[in-house]
Amino acid sequence: MVLRFLDKYRDIGLLFLRIGIGVMFIMHGLPKLIGGPEKWEMLGGVMKFVGVDFAPMAWGFMAAFSECIGGLLLALGLFTRPACFALLATMVVAMFMHIGKGDSFVTYSHAAEAGILFISLILIGPGKYSIDGQHKQASH
């Protein structure tokens, strides 16, 4: 296989991926998280696109929390799979919101791409260079 010599860097690749995407989601989520109840209610209002029309402030807080704190956990490689599951759920709602508003593929593709990434990380795991991975190594 072409470039097979790079296989030994798989865990470093996962580290770069986790840190890069994690930091990006922290940057997306932090303004939403510190935006407070008004911002959370506006964010949570998009749940109507998936048929949920109650407690918009709570849903908005959870979305902001999942982006910011989920991004931090992803970057650290701590509770990676649960963090990716929360981020995936947030991206699914974002995608349905954009589709429901009639936005173009270019607009909702970011959420779809991130969702694909989070499904992949749920399946692959965080790699050796993570807090989760260090725990796994210590238990063997």
Side-chain angles (χ1 to χ4, degrees):
M1 178 182 235
V2 177
L3 301 178
R4 188 88 184 181
F5 71 94
L6 292 173
D7 286 355
K8 63 185 170 194
Y9 300 110
R10 183 167 294 153
D11 288 305
I12 292 172
L14 282 167
L15 174 66
F16 278 114
L17 179 66
R18 281 193 355 266
I19 291 173
I21 297 299
V23 168
M24 292 298 161
F25 272 85
I26 292 168
M27 300 302 288
H28 277 284
L30 185 59
K32 296 172 185 172
L33 190 59
I34 64 177
E38 262 184 50
K39 182 73 168 177
W40 303 337
E41 189 155 357
M42 190 239 359
L43 283 171
V46 307
M47 289 295 287
K48 68 184 174 200
F49 290 99
V50 293
V52 177
D53 61 356
F54 62 91
M57 189 184 309
W59 290 112
F61 173 79
M62 287 192 289
F65 186 86
S66 78
E67 285 189 17
C68 184
I69 304 306
L72 176 63
L73 292 172
L74 178 61
L76 294 172
L78 178 62
F79 303 116
T80 304
R81 286 181 164 124
C84 285
F85 184 78
L87 288 161
L88 171 62
T90 303
M91 293 301 99
V92 167
V93 172
M95 190 176 71
F96 278 114
M97 181 264 305
H98 286 297
I99 292 169
K101 286 173 44 178
D103 291 339
S104 70
F105 172 77
V106 172
T107 303
Y108 69 80
S109 64
H110 166 70
E113 292 159 356
I116 292 166
L117 173 66
F118 295 131
I119 290 169
S120 299
L121 285 170
I122 289 167
L123 296 172
I124 296 168
K128 180 169 67 172
Y129 302 115
S130 63
I131 295 174
D132 291 339
Q134 295 304 317
H135 172 70
K136 182 179 175 185
Q137 286 183 335
S139 67
H140 281 115

